[in-house]
Amino acid sequence: MVNTEEEKLMGKEKFIQWLNENNISSNQKYDSCLKSREGAVRNIDEHFEADSISVKLKKTSEKLLSENNLLPLKQLNEGYSRFEQKFNPEILKGFDGELLIETIFNIGNRDGMTYWLEFKNDDEFKTNSNSYGSIAGGSAFKFIMFKRNIDGKWVTGNPQNPTILSTEEAVALGRDLRDALIAGSEIIDKLSVKADILDYTDLQQQLESVLTNNMYNLGWVHKYYHMLYPNKIDSFHSTKWQKHSLISCGVIPEQEDKLYTMSRQLMQIINEIDLPSSYAAISMNELFGPPINYFRIGTGDGENRYWESMRTNSYVGIGWSKLGDLNVSFAEDTMRKDISEALTEQYQYNSSVSSRKAGEIIRFYNRIKIGDIVVAARGEKILGIGRVSGDYEYVEDRTYPHCKNVEWIKIFKEPIGLPNASAGKLTTCFRYKDIENTFAIESLIREKNNVDDTPLEVSLSPLTGTVADIENTLKRKKQVILYGPPGTGKTYYAEKACFEISARSLFRKSFSVLTPIEKEEILGDGRTNGTVRMCCFHPSYGYEDFIEGIKPRVINQQTVFEPKDGIFKELCTDAIENPDKKYYLIIDEINRGDISRIFGELIMLIEAGKRGKSIILSLTNTSFSVPGNVYIVGTMNTADRSIALLDVALRRRFGFIELMTDYSLFEKSVFEGLPLAGWLKELNGRIREHIGNEARNLQIGHSYFLEKEKVMMDNEKFKWIIKEDIIPLIEEYCYGDYSLIAKILGEGVVDVKNQMIKPELFGSSDISDLVTALLTQSPTLRVEVESVEDSQEDDGVEGEE
């Protein structure tokens, strides 16, 4: 990024030239506005009229209100009023001594200011992201000082270098922070609601001069000012979210690292669409999604070009095939060091080059997330823009085997250059940080010119793992049952397999990259059924629900009874009418129904060798057969019923795949010293030891600790999973025998004398006591937790194009 104002203006002129050269219109083009106050105000009205963003935001706000996902305006304004009455600057001035720090900085004080800003969410005041903007995340150090829960000490500094304060020191620091907060408030109070961008630039500079300890960059300070001045300060309390929302609205952030400068640009948009500032922010979140990163990915290594393979197969990839599968070959905690050493050995790089290239590989492996934008580039030109749709995978038969699946958004007929075209030019995986390039990428996504819409011939990589096992069993048997203990991902894999196999069969594409219209073909649209359907068996589910039955219907105020097809018969009818399509029925909890009664004569027809054979249904006296393009995937929880108890005829006609707890998912997951993989393995060992013959089917599965297919790493969520999922399950297994429960969970968790789980373990956001209690049965599992600062990324590394 350029430094001097003159250089900035030169960069802006270059960017305007790029917009004009590529015929991209924007009322937000950079100009020389910094030289003139009159030139500082952007013409946002025309921009919104052209792009209809204001209409979309208003419709989104109306939708969220109708779905009760926004606070009613009266309740929203009451919240502002209550906060202002409790914590306005005049009130804060009246605090001193321990009352001052307890009221403002003790996040454990449920009537304190920081608690209200981050946690309070009750009938009196709802502080969450669906009202006044979230400041969740990070440690308590973000408040500059806080009262530690474990010992009641006041702490400042940072997680790597905490400083314990005496009460006197804490009060002195609290006074300084309070005074700075009030000084900032007085500056904002004087600001006109019609202030322009340069007024806010001045505001930013003034706040930086009075807000000590980096307070001008802190989300909770920004939220405090929003609560007092919602018509001047927006409810995005992070520059990352502000910048993302501005760019998504087609507005170039004036100062992308300044909270209060961008507040003006957001407030100008918000005033234009005439919504409360928090409504507008939440609608932007809904419409634009979370912030994303933008990456440049090279498509060649000098002589060779791999763009056609990436384009055709919907992926981006990097080379260094000799490294093998990164998931298998390297431990995550030492990955960069180990990759660097491997590059030195296998590619004969010197140590400096190996280290830099290892950084590129790590960036591709774990910095690029699903939803991020990737730009496929060759030299200074870009060939296509895509959205990442899958996690890292190693595809051995590709020259660039380290891959991530991509949904291509734009593929250009003619390669195009970005404003700062040389950025990352000699780097295999480069993250764009400059606003000119990121804004240009978003502009290109919106443009309709220069797009290559030639249909792609897709060559899909083969399925792997459990999904591949399901596919193979379906080919052989036509139906499969996934079985195992609770929480082992049975329903998840049933859906994933059916969606993926169906997508590949219908569109020759992975399900993750299908368009919404294509997904409707598989999922249905609410009015018509798709190729994948689902039902759940239960004790009262019957033949009439599954095949056919007599159902009542009111005609001309008269109740008549008539035959009605069940879900499976409807699916078979559709499959017969569309023989080129494959149809899938997922039966969840298949063992909870009376199988013989539900399937009836169907038990013979579903057999692979009997497909197409017709019988006469006794109720309607009609011919019925199960075509060969129908597949059944059932799930059963063996904690409820063993496979041995299933109907023998059913067992003979189904394939079975057992899913057990996958501890390898948690090898790097540690909660305050509790290694999740080791603890869960020990817990299941004690279940098998103490519960009895069926204990193997009663073990705790891994999916309890997953969130959106990723390992859940939030301490607060971990606490509630233990309390609301794991403990009730163990209590059920033990039939309320608290002595037995204590043997499994540990005496630190169970109060055997009073026949209860110790409630104090769940009353705090600090889970250290809970972890200690959970480890009472296996204390040697505890690991030392080190606090390590995130390493800085190395951009500008030479490598592949």
Side-chain angles (χ1 to χ4, degrees):
M1 293 293 289
V2 290
N3 296 318
T4 68
E5 292 301 315
E6 184 179 357
E7 286 173 325
K8 287 181 181 178
L9 291 173
M10 288 174 62
K12 292 177 181 181
E13 289 171 2
K14 182 180 178 183
F15 182 54
I16 296 171
Q17 182 182 354
W18 179 88
L19 288 167
N20 291 329
E21 286 175 352
N22 292 284
N23 196 29
I24 295 174
S25 61
S26 172
N27 291 308
Q28 308 306 311
K29 292 177 182 177
Y30 279 130
D31 53 33
S32 57
C33 66
L34 292 179
K35 294 179 179 177
S36 163
R37 180 171 293 272
E38 289 74 25
V41 180
R42 300 286 196 259
N43 183 1
I44 288 184
D45 301 11
E46 294 179 15
H47 172 77
F48 275 166
E49 221 172 282
D51 290 347
S52 301
I53 291 177
S54 62
V55 174
K56 292 178 182 177
L57 288 173
K58 286 179 180 177
K59 287 184 176 179
T60 302
S61 177
E62 291 169 1
K63 172 178 174 287
L64 292 171
L65 269 173
S66 68
E67 295 172 349
N68 297 318
N69 287 323
L70 288 176
L71 283 183
L73 188 58
K74 180 181 178 182
Q75 190 176 351
L76 182 78
N77 289 330
E78 286 174 351
Y80 284 120
S81 179
R82 287 195 183 105
F83 185 91
E84 194 273 340
Q85 290 169 11
K86 285 183 68 69
F87 304 114
N88 69 68
E90 290 302 315
I91 295 292
L92 298 189
K93 286 179 184 177
F95 298 139
D96 201 7
E98 290 192 54
L99 178 62
L100 165 66
I101 55 179
E102 288 286 342
T103 303
I104 299 180
F105 297 104
N106 182 3
I107 55 178
N109 177 8
R110 293 175 177 268
D111 206 33
M113 191 181 83
T114 49
Y115 181 84
W116 273 55
L117 286 172
E118 182 166 13
F119 298 109
K120 190 171 176 65
N121 190 33
D122 54 27
D123 291 340
E124 182 182 18
F125 183 75
K126 296 184 181 297
T127 195
N128 60 25
S129 57
N130 282 347
S131 45
Y132 308 103
S134 172
I135 58 169
S139 70
F141 286 96
K142 67 187 178 188
F143 294 110
I144 304 177
M145 61 179 290
F146 66 97
K147 192 173 186 179
R148 199 159 61 187
N149 182 62
I150 56 174
D151 56 10
K153 299 287 188 182
W154 286 97
V155 183
T156 189
N158 57 65
Q160 290 74 41
N161 188 26
T163 300
I164 307 298
L165 301 173
S166 66
T167 302
E168 293 75 17
E169 291 171 329
V171 169
L173 177 57
R175 286 196 195 106
D176 291 342
L177 298 176
R178 183 270 314 272
D179 293 345
L181 199 63
I182 291 172
S185 174
E186 291 171 349
I187 295 171
I188 298 173
D189 189 60
K190 295 174 184 176
L191 188 73
S192 168
V193 292
K194 297 182 180 180
D196 63 28
I197 190 67
L198 288 186
D199 292 323
Y200 271 75
T201 303
D202 294 340
L203 170 67
Q204 178 75 42
Q205 293 172 351
Q206 292 179 65
L207 290 177
E208 289 182 11
S209 69
V210 300
L211 292 175
T212 58
N213 294 82
N214 198 40
M215 292 172 68
Y216 56 86
N217 279 331
L218 300 180
W220 69 270
V221 176
H222 190 268
K223 184 169 181 177
Y224 175 77
Y225 292 146
H226 168 74
M227 296 306 301
L228 299 181
Y229 308 103
N231 59 345
K232 298 178 183 179
I233 305 297
D234 66 285
S235 62
F236 289 116
H237 312 305
S238 155
T239 54
K240 179 172 66 174
W241 281 87
Q242 287 179 320
K243 181 168 68 172
H244 173 64
S245 297
L246 286 173
I247 290 175
S248 298
C249 286
V251 178
I252 301 171
E254 196 65 49
Q255 292 179 306
E256 59 184 287
D257 58 345
K258 305 293 185 182
L259 271 168
Y260 299 92
T261 304
M262 285 193 285
S263 273
R264 173 55 197 151
Q265 293 183 279
L266 284 163
M267 291 307 299
Q268 191 173 350
I269 295 171
I270 290 165
N271 291 337
E272 172 63 27
I273 60 179
D274 194 27
L275 286 174
S277 57
S278 70
Y279 280 17
I282 298 164
S283 298
M284 289 179 187
N285 289 350
E286 179 76 9
L287 197 57
F288 307 138
I292 57 175
N293 287 315
Y294 301 80
F295 293 88
R296 179 196 184 278
I297 305 294
T299 58
D301 55 10
E303 297 180 0
N304 301 306
R305 298 287 183 262
Y306 304 105
W307 165 237
E308 284 306 315
S309 174
M310 294 182 187
R311 175 182 185 269
T312 302
N313 296 294
S314 299
Y315 76 96
V316 289
I318 60 175
W320 297 294
S321 57
K322 295 177 185 178
L323 296 176
D325 188 341
L326 302 181
N327 282 327
V328 176
S329 303
F330 302 96
E332 191 170 344
D333 52 349
T334 59
M335 182 174 281
R336 179 162 183 159
K337 172 180 172 291
D338 294 344
I339 289 177
S340 179
E341 291 175 354
L343 290 173
T344 300
E345 178 182 346
Q346 296 170 358
Y347 293 90
Q348 287 75 55
Y349 299 149
N350 63 46
S351 59
S352 176
V353 173
S354 290
S355 178
R356 292 198 304 271
K357 291 186 182 296
E360 294 181 50
I361 295 167
I362 295 295
R363 189 178 303 123
F364 181 87
Y365 175 73
N366 65 12
R367 296 297 177 94
I368 300 179
K369 308 294 185 184
I370 292 175
D372 283 343
I373 295 295
V374 290
V375 171
R378 180 183 300 154
E380 294 191 351
K381 299 292 185 179
I382 64 173
L383 311 171
I385 301 173
R387 191 178 306 278
V388 179
S389 60
D391 290 320
Y392 167 87
E393 60 179 327
Y394 181 76
V395 183
E396 190 171 2
D397 59 354
R398 290 176 181 164
T399 308
Y400 273 24
H402 308 288
C403 303
K404 294 201 173 184
N405 286 338
V406 167
E407 176 187 353
W408 292 114
I409 303 170
K410 289 290 174 69
I411 293 173
F412 301 108
K413 291 180 180 178
E414 297 295 332
I416 189 170
L418 293 176
N420 298 325
S422 62
K425 176 182 175 182
L426 298 178
T427 307
T428 306
C429 178
F430 174 85
R431 183 165 74 88
Y432 289 114
K433 295 180 180 179
D434 61 299
I435 197 65
E436 290 85 3
N437 277 342
T438 53
F439 188 84
I441 292 166
E442 284 292 336
S443 298
L444 289 169
I445 289 172
R446 288 190 290 267
E447 287 295 310
K448 297 181 180 179
N449 298 330
N450 190 26
V451 178
D452 185 353
D453 52 7
T454 305
L456 299 179
E457 289 294 328
V458 180
S459 174
L460 291 167
S461 57
L463 295 172
T464 58
T466 302
V467 174
D469 293 341
I470 293 171
E471 181 187 41
N472 291 333
T473 306
L474 289 176
K475 286 179 180 178
R476 185 172 60 88
K477 300 282 287 188
K478 298 287 188 182
Q479 43 266 336
V480 63
I481 289 178
L482 311 181
Y483 70 99
T488 50
K490 297 176 290 294
T491 304
Y492 163 77
Y493 277 113
E495 292 183 335
K496 182 176 181 178
C498 291
F499 295 162
E500 185 64 23
I501 298 168
S502 190
R504 288 170 177 241
S505 172
L506 288 170
F507 304 109
R508 294 291 299 152
K509 292 195 289 187
S510 179
F511 181 77
S512 62
V513 300
L514 296 184
T515 67
I517 298 299
E518 289 170 336
K519 286 184 177 179
E520 283 183 3
E521 181 85 7
I522 295 172
L523 304 176
D525 60 5
R527 298 182 301 275
T528 58
N529 291 316
T531 56
V532 177
R533 304 175 195 180
M534 189 171 188
C535 65
C536 182
F537 282 3
H538 50 79
S540 60
Y541 200 90
Y543 178 90
E544 60 275 15
D545 302 299
F546 198 61
I547 309 297
E548 64 177 10
I550 300 296
K551 298 286 185 179
R553 189 158 72 98
V554 176
I555 301 177
N556 297 327
Q557 298 183 340
Q558 296 291 321
T559 301
V560 297
F561 291 87
E562 58 186 16
K564 181 174 174 58
D565 291 344
I567 184 172
F568 188 74
K569 187 179 178 185
E570 285 183 347
L571 181 132
C572 290
T573 300
D574 291 344
I576 292 170
E577 292 174 355
N578 300 280
D580 295 332
K581 293 182 180 180
K582 296 179 179 179
Y583 286 78
Y584 298 85
L585 179 64
I586 300 171
I587 305 175
D588 207 25
E589 306 282 5
I590 192 170
N591 56 317
R592 293 187 64 231
D594 185 335
I595 302 295
S596 299
R597 177 174 174 269
I598 294 171
F599 276 77
E601 59 268 70
L602 177 65
I603 205 71
M604 176 186 70
L605 298 183
I606 63 172
E607 190 172 335
K610 303 285 177 58
R611 293 300 182 93
K613 182 180 178 65
S614 296
I615 61 169
I616 302 300
L617 297 177
S618 57
L619 180 66
T620 57
N621 201 34
T622 57
S623 176
F624 175 69
S625 65
V626 180
N629 56 333
V630 166
Y631 301 86
I632 303 172
V633 180
T635 72
M636 64 174 287
N637 190 338
T638 51
D640 299 328
R641 187 182 188 187
S642 169
I643 287 181
L645 300 177
L646 284 179
D647 187 290
V648 174
L650 186 77
R651 276 189 282 158
R652 183 166 60 84
R653 289 172 169 89
F654 276 76
F656 288 83
I657 297 175
E658 184 179 40
L659 299 181
M660 299 298 289
T661 306
D662 185 356
Y663 303 107
S664 65
L665 296 170
F666 308 126
E667 287 180 355
K668 304 299 179 184
S669 304
V670 179
F671 292 90
E672 300 291 337
L674 181 145
L676 185 54
W679 173 79
L680 188 57
K681 189 179 292 186
E682 294 267 348
L683 178 67
N684 281 332
R686 293 194 294 273
I687 289 174
R688 294 194 303 271
E689 178 184 354
H690 295 291
I691 296 299
N693 294 334
E694 288 299 317
R696 188 176 185 277
N697 294 324
L698 302 177
Q699 298 176 89
I700 307 297
H702 51 265
S703 66
Y704 287 105
F705 299 95
L706 299 180
E707 186 174 44
K708 295 181 180 178
E709 303 183 32
K710 297 288 186 181
V711 178
M712 184 279 307
M713 291 303 296
D714 181 82
N715 285 359
E716 187 72 10
K717 290 179 180 177
F718 173 78
K719 177 182 69 177
W720 290 110
I721 289 168
I722 298 298
K723 182 180 181 181
E724 297 180 350
D725 296 326
I726 307 303
I727 289 177
L729 209 55
I730 302 297
E731 288 178 318
E732 179 185 343
Y733 293 166
C734 297
Y735 300 100
D737 183 343
Y738 280 84
S739 296
L740 185 55
I741 296 171
K743 290 178 182 178
I744 296 173
L745 285 173
E747 294 180 356
V749 179
V750 183
D751 183 345
V752 177
K753 180 179 179 182
N754 292 305
Q755 301 283 284
M756 62 185 292
I757 303 297
K758 295 179 179 179
E760 63 271 16
L761 297 175
F762 303 94
S764 167
S765 58
D766 184 346
I767 66 166
S768 56
D769 289 343
L770 173 61
V771 166
T772 299
L774 292 172
L775 289 172
T776 52
Q777 294 294 85
S778 46
T780 57
L781 282 176
R782 185 187 289 275
V783 297
E784 292 298 321
V785 182
E786 296 181 4
S787 297
V788 181
E789 292 185 87
D790 291 338
S791 60
Q792 297 295 317
E793 289 189 26
D794 294 324
D795 284 333
V797 184
E798 293 188 0
E800 299 161 270
E801 272 188 23

